[in-house]
């Protein structure tokens, strides 16, 4: 196997991490593909590949002696038609192949940062290998709806993770098929050489290899990576799953044979070991296949909207296991055939009828006429009392969004109060509803409700995806809602949005917060807000749909907010409030940032606010920029970890603890107020930052209480008038130990942290800032800036590091 050269940051990303617009490139010929893959080494591209068959061995990815470098932010997506104006999601329609001569040389690419493959079939005579580095701030490799086959004597798909042991990353493989293979090899391999990686596999099928279906290897990492499988089938391989780690989560999977070192932690849930009963095309055979409706919808990031063939991911009462969804539907259907307020064929009657049925219900639409079709209600609809899906995408003329950036969904069904209506809420689950009440709402536009457009005050495992709130839909203006979506006390395991662009909600124009997640003594918990536009809409470009208070108000516990674009809200992008708000994770969002679209949408106050004793929350790997006040404002509350974010061009400090303005370093072990903001953790003092064009060293000191601390270094974007900075891009982190001090003094530790890059002129002329985070998760403000001194002796850059 080839050895990966050390990966580092791309120069342009260091200079402007989120200001790079991702350029669309349409591929229709082999030459187009060759040119696009070469261009992706210098600029992030959305490579849209038209239906057809292409020779991958003729591109830079097929040169055995080379490791082409793919810039973070790049994606390669198949199935496009009409000069890439639209897309047919079906992996079989876009094939990347070669000359059929196996040469035992992998098709290898080195990825720096986020990278995605979607809707492609790789039919190659040798392995397809992806390498990523943990030098970026939690980069993500995402493989969706793709097929890997061929390669009779090689691994079909291998992912290698390289970097330093301090780094983290995410790999997600969903709705994909890997089949065939020889004995003695792994059909699908995940290898972590260093760092901590979270691997998630959702609705994949790995079958018919004479060797090992899935190999999980963590050979040299200091930190044990985690692996999680949901709704995945690995069957009829020599060994279906082979792992050297016991930290493997299995939920509703089918594995015939498992080779493991010790009992899995946690114990598997819903594991089947019997024949999944799939057709020759790997589709569950209806009606008796144990794969049908036996998967889970409760998983990180949520389900895709479509399976590998472009069919709806959920048909009937539940999700199937594996890459393909059976068309079999055992749910009871209620059909809306008119826009009347009540009576036969109305939405109101469909909900009433669904509530009478104890099984799974689907409410579908078959309304005459053109879009939009407005259902005006004169009073509140009945609350949902059972397992119900309301699917607006069943109406003729509707379609889901297909754009990674933007929204081209066509929503036909609009629900709003009629003139003089007493209706305050739209679609709702009443408080007190049990866990068996699960509501899915998709493909609707809702406006004009003074309370909640969608109120999830009870029940669990709800899914709200592909809906619009605010703005206009098909020329029909939507009046403001009080709250667009409310998740009530005790509600858990629900998801707003989802893994794919087609599940994105447009959440704006509410008079209060766009999304409200309740706290109190029974906080809403373990819910996910994923991949939505909150405070923003889309015409031909992003538009302002700011909510009247916050983008998201979060008072619950252990919730995850990820991948959202949150901007233009009157108050904070996210407000984490009250002592019930604990254990929440805010990751991978753009909060006021430009998110590769070239326009700024700062929130009216802070990007993220933590207040009223909210604690033990994690804010990581976000872009938090252009907000009127602080990037992250911790008013009160302890153990709020703020690491690896890109925080820049905010009106006040990048991180602001306690009172507004720089909180000066003081004795951290002194007496402080209850829930004093991150205990007023001292920030480092940087003393030098110097080196060459490619690498250097940053040194400094940290004065605080004894213990282990993480010092993070950031490329700055200018300094506050106080001299303290923000952190435009995370460079490197290191663990330092502050010794026990002499009696009556603070502990003091010195540090020297190396930074390096393979690209010239990244560090020259820049400023460096830093933060310190203690072992309990208390992160400091940013330190004072330190200018980087380039002491390279030779202008032509012959000198390497200065240490």
């Amino acid at each position: 196997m080839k050895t990966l050269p050390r990966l580092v940051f791309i120069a342009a990303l260091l200079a402007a991490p989120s200001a790079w617009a991702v350029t669309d490139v349409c591929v229709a010929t082999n030459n187009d593909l060759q040119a696009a893959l070469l261009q992706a080494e210098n600029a992030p591209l959305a490579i849209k590949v038209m239906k057809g068959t292409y020779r991958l061995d003729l591109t830079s990815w097929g040169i055995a002696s080379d490791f082409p470098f793919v810039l973070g932010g790049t994606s390669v997506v198949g199935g496009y038609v009409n000069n890439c104006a639209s897309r047919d999601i079906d992996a079989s329609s876009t094939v990347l192949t070669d000359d059929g001569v196996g040469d035992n040389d992998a098709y290898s690419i080195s990825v720096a940062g986020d990278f995605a493959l979607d809707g492609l079939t790789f039919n190659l005579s040798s392995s397809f290998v992806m390498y990523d580095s943990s030098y970026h701030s939690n980069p993500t490799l995402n493989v969706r709806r793709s097929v890997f086959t061929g390669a009779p004597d090689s691994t079909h798909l291998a992912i290698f993770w390289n970097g330093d042991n301090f780094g983290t990353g995410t790999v997600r493989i969903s709705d994909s098929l890997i089949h065939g293979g020889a004995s003695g090899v792994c059909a699908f391999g995940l290898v972590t050489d260093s760092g901590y990686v979270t691997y998630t596999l959702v609705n994949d099928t790995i079958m018919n290899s004479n060797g090992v279906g899935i190999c999980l290897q963590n050979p040299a990492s200091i930190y044990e990576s985690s692996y999680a499988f949901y709704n995945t089938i690995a069957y009829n391989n020599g060994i279906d799953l082979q792992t050297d780690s016991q930290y493997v989560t299995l939920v509703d999977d089918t594995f015939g044979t498992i080779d493991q070192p010790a009992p899995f932690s946690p114990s598997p849930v819903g594991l089947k070991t019997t024949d999944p009963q799939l057709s020759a095309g790997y589709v569950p055979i209806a009606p008796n296949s144990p794969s049908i409706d036996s998967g889970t919808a409760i998983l990180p990031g949520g389900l895709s909207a479509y399976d590998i063939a472009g069919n709806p991911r959920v048909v009937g009462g539940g999700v199937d296991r594996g890459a393909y969804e059976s068309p079999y539907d055992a749910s009871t259907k209620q059909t809306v055939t008119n826009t009347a307020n009540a009576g036969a064929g109305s939405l109101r009657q469909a909900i009433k009828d669904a509530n009478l049925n104890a099984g799974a219900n689907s409410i579908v639409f078959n309304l005459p006429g053109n879009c939009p079709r407005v259902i005006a209600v004169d009073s509140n609809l009945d609350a949902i009392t059972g397992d119900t899906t309301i699917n607006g995408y069943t109406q003729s003329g509707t379609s889901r969004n297909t754009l990674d950036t933007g929204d081209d969904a066509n929503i036909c069904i609009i629900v709003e109060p009629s003139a003089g209506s007493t209706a305050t809420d739209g679609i709702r689950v009443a408080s007190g509803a049990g866990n068996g009440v699960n509501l899915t709402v998709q493909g609707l536009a809702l406006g004009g409700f003074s309370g909640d457009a969608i109120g999830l005050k009870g029940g669990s495992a709800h899914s709200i995806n592909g809906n619009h709130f605010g703005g206009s839909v098909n020329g029909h203006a939507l009046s403001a809602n009080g709250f667009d979506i409310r998740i009530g006390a005790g509600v858990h395991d629900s998801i707003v949005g989802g893994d794919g662009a087609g599940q994105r909600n447009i959440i704006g124009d509410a008079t209060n917060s766009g999304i409200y997640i309740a706290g109190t003594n029974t906080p809403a918990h373990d819910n996910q807000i994923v991949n939505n536009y909150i405070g923003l809409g889309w015409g031909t470009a992003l538009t302002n749909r700011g909510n009247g208070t916050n983008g998201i108000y979060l008072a619950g516990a252990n919730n995850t907010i990820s991948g959202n674009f949150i901007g233009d809200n009157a108050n904070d992008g996210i407000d984490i409030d009250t002592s019930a708000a604990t254990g929440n994770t805010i990751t991978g969002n753009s909060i006021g940032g430009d998110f590769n679209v070239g326009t700024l949408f700062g929130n009216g106050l802070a990007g993220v606010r933590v207040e009223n004793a909210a604690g033990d929350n994690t804010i990581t790997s976000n872009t938090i920029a252009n907000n009127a006040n602080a990037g992250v404002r911790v008013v009160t509350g302890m153990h709020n970890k703020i690491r690896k974010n890109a925080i820049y061009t905010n009106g006040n400090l990048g991180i602001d603890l306690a009172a507004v303005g720089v909180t000066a370093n003081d004795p951290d072990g002194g007496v402080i107020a209850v829930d004093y903001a991150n205990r007023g953790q001292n920030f480092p003092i940087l003393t030098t930052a110097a080196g060459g064009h490619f690498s250097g060293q940053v040194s400094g000191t940290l004065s605080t209480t004894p213990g282990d601390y993480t010092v993070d270094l950031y490329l700055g974007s200018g300094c506050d008038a106080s001299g303290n900075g923000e952190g435009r891009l995370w460079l490197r982190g290191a663990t330092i130990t502050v010794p026990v001090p002499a009696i009556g003094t603070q502990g003091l530790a010195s540090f020297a942290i190396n930074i390096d890059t393979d690209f010239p002129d990244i560090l020259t002329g820049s400023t460096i800032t830093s933060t310190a985070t203690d072992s309990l998760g208390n992160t400091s403000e940013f330190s004072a800036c330190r200018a980087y001194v380039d002491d390279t002796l030779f202008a032509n850059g012959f000198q390497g590091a200065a240490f």
Side-chain angles (χ1 to χ4, degrees):
M1 183 59 65
K2 299 175 181 177
T3 301
L4 174 69
R6 192 173 184 180
L7 292 182
V8 290
F9 289 125
I10 284 287
L13 274 178
L14 277 170
S18 63
W20 272 56
V22 176
T23 303
D24 288 354
V25 174
C26 186
V27 166
T29 67
N30 281 322
N31 289 338
D32 291 344
L33 181 63
Q34 294 170 37
L37 297 182
L38 282 173
Q39 188 180 349
E41 298 179 27
N42 300 296
L45 299 182
I47 301 174
K48 300 180 176 180
V49 187
M50 298 270 285
K51 286 184 176 182
T53 300
Y54 301 84
R55 286 279 298 274
L56 193 63
D57 60 322
L58 300 178
T59 72
S60 60
W61 288 15
I63 299 173
S65 61
D66 192 17
F67 286 87
F69 188 87
V70 180
L71 190 63
T74 294
S75 60
V76 184
V77 181
Y80 280 91
V81 296
N82 301 324
N83 294 319
C84 294
S86 57
R87 184 180 178 215
D88 178 10
I89 300 173
D90 184 349
S92 66
S93 70
T94 309
V95 180
L96 303 182
T97 187
D98 57 17
D99 59 5
V101 178
D103 55 9
N104 295 319
D105 287 315
Y107 294 85
S108 303
I109 57 172
S110 302
V111 182
D114 296 344
F115 178 68
L117 298 172
D118 191 348
L120 302 164
T121 291
F122 292 83
N123 189 359
L124 304 171
S125 58
S126 297
S127 302
F128 184 76
V129 182
M130 288 188 288
Y131 297 88
D132 206 329
S133 164
S134 57
Y135 288 101
H136 274 68
S137 177
N138 196 28
T140 297
L141 289 181
N142 205 328
V143 178
R144 296 190 187 102
R145 293 182 292 266
S146 292
V147 178
F148 298 86
T149 187
D153 301 315
S154 306
T155 295
H156 295 329
L157 172 63
I159 296 176
F160 284 77
W161 201 273
N162 294 257
D164 64 15
N165 286 316
F166 206 76
T168 58
T170 302
V171 173
R172 184 182 177 95
I173 315 293
S174 60
D175 304 282
S176 293
L177 169 66
I178 301 171
H179 66 95
S183 60
V185 298
C186 297
F188 175 38
L190 299 174
V191 181
T192 307
D193 281 341
S194 56
Y196 180 92
V197 185
T198 300
Y199 295 95
T200 304
L201 287 85
V202 178
N203 278 104
D204 300 305
T205 299
I206 301 94
M207 288 190 67
N208 298 333
S209 167
N210 290 319
V212 179
I214 307 170
C215 297
L216 310 180
Q217 299 178 26
N218 209 80
S221 179
I222 293 175
Y223 304 106
E224 183 83 17
S225 291
S226 67
Y227 306 89
F229 295 83
Y230 300 87
N231 309 334
T232 290
I233 297 172
Y235 195 80
N236 201 35
N237 304 288
I239 298 173
D240 295 312
L241 174 62
Q242 186 177 75
T243 174
D244 62 7
S245 172
Q246 70 182 93
Y247 300 104
V248 179
T249 298
L250 300 178
V251 179
D252 290 346
D253 303 294
T254 299
F255 290 99
T257 55
I258 300 176
D259 180 5
Q260 63 195 95
F264 286 145
S265 177
S267 297
V269 175
L271 177 65
K272 294 181 183 295
T273 59
T274 56
D275 188 346
Q277 297 186 36
L278 308 184
S279 71
Y282 300 102
V283 179
I285 300 170
N288 296 321
S289 168
S291 303
I292 293 175
D293 292 350
S294 64
T296 179
I298 303 172
L299 47 88
L303 293 165
S304 300
Y306 303 104
D307 73 356
I308 191 172
N311 298 314
R313 178 70 271 182
V314 179
V315 177
V319 60
D320 294 352
R321 303 183 187 207
Y324 291 89
E325 190 82 10
S326 167
Y328 179 71
D329 184 356
S331 68
T332 301
K333 285 187 172 58
Q334 316 294 339
T335 303
V336 179
T337 58
N338 61 63
T339 60
N341 169 69
S346 68
L347 175 60
R348 187 183 299 276
Q349 190 62 47
I351 292 174
K352 288 180 180 291
D353 291 343
N355 284 343
L356 295 174
N357 179 44
N361 286 269
S362 298
I363 296 177
V364 299
F365 294 82
N366 185 20
L367 298 173
N370 298 322
C371 297
R373 305 298 289 138
V374 180
I375 298 174
V377 296
D378 62 11
S379 60
N380 281 343
L381 299 167
D382 288 3
I384 303 296
T385 61
D387 182 358
T388 304
T389 295
I390 303 176
N391 188 357
Y393 288 111
T394 55
Q395 172 66 29
S396 175
T398 57
S399 60
R400 285 186 182 269
N401 169 51
T402 65
L403 302 177
D404 285 332
T405 300
D407 183 82
D408 63 357
N410 190 43
I411 303 295
C412 290
I413 304 298
I414 298 171
V415 182
E416 63 181 25
S418 60
S421 172
T422 60
T424 57
D425 298 319
I427 309 297
R428 61 198 176 100
V429 176
S431 59
N435 285 334
V437 179
N438 315 128
L439 171 65
T440 295
V441 180
Q442 53 193 11
L444 300 184
L446 298 101
F449 295 99
S450 60
D452 309 324
I454 295 181
L456 309 173
K457 295 182 180 179
S460 69
H462 307 299
S463 176
I464 310 300
N465 70 85
N467 303 287
H468 282 202
F469 308 83
S472 65
V473 171
N474 270 301
H476 183 91
L478 299 173
S479 299
N481 300 300
F483 296 94
D484 288 336
I485 301 171
R486 181 192 293 266
I487 300 176
V491 174
H492 59 92
D493 293 303
S494 299
I495 184 165
V496 176
D499 173 59
Q503 292 156 302
R504 175 180 299 139
N505 297 286
I506 305 296
I507 300 169
D509 292 338
T511 58
N512 294 299
S513 294
I515 300 176
Y516 181 99
I517 304 174
T520 70
N521 293 329
T522 55
H525 63 92
D526 296 288
N527 302 290
Q528 300 179 69
I529 313 297
V530 182
N531 197 25
N532 304 283
Y533 285 172
I534 302 173
L536 303 162
W538 186 269
T540 56
L542 280 168
T543 56
N544 298 322
R545 289 190 188 173
N547 294 292
T549 55
N550 307 297
I552 301 174
Y553 176 82
L554 174 57
N558 302 315
N559 302 285
T560 299
I561 298 173
S562 64
N564 304 282
F565 192 172
I566 305 170
D568 199 50
N569 299 288
N571 292 348
D572 305 308
I574 302 173
D575 184 9
I576 307 174
D577 188 19
T578 79
S579 59
T582 181
N584 298 292
T585 299
I586 316 297
T587 184
N589 304 282
S590 180
I591 305 173
D594 50 16
F595 212 72
N596 293 326
V597 295
T599 308
L600 310 182
F601 291 93
N603 296 285
L605 295 177
V608 179
R609 180 182 301 271
V610 181
E611 60 182 336
N612 294 320
D616 294 285
N617 300 291
T618 298
I619 302 166
T620 183
S621 304
N622 304 281
T623 296
I624 305 173
N626 312 308
N627 300 288
N629 294 158
V632 179
R633 175 88 171 92
V634 183
V635 182
T636 61
M638 299 178 72
H639 313 153
N640 294 292
K641 185 183 296 184
I642 309 164
R643 297 191 56 230
K644 294 189 176 183
N645 301 284
I647 303 178
Y648 58 95
T649 60
N650 295 287
N652 293 339
L653 297 177
I655 300 172
D656 195 355
L657 306 182
V660 174
V662 175
T663 300
N665 285 346
D666 60 11
D668 274 343
V671 177
I672 59 173
V674 175
D675 289 313
Y676 188 63
N678 278 7
R679 77 173 186 125
Q681 172 63 51
N682 287 348
F683 49 77
I685 303 297
L686 302 184
T687 53
T688 63
H693 293 335
F694 295 89
S695 57
Q697 189 176 82
V698 178
S699 61
T701 61
L702 177 64
S703 176
T704 184
T705 52
D708 290 335
Y709 292 80
T710 300
V711 172
D712 288 302
L713 300 178
Y714 296 84
L715 191 74
S717 60
C719 299
D720 182 76
S722 65
N724 287 44
E726 297 181 273
R728 190 177 183 93
L729 195 70
W730 180 78
L731 292 174
R732 185 63 59 86
T735 300
I736 67 170
T737 299
V738 176
V740 176
I743 295 176
T745 65
Q746 282 266 93
L748 180 66
S750 299
F751 58 84
I753 303 172
N754 296 339
I755 53 177
D756 65 330
T757 173
D758 282 347
F759 297 89
D761 302 323
I762 302 307
L763 303 170
T764 304
S766 67
T767 58
I768 307 295
T769 60
S770 66
T771 61
T773 302
D774 70 14
S775 59
L776 296 177
N778 292 297
T779 298
S780 71
E781 297 179 347
F782 284 104
S783 70
C785 298
R786 174 62 61 176
Y788 182 82
V789 177
D790 188 339
D791 59 7
T792 303
L793 298 179
F794 303 102
N796 60 14
F798 287 163
Q799 179 183 336
F803 49 87

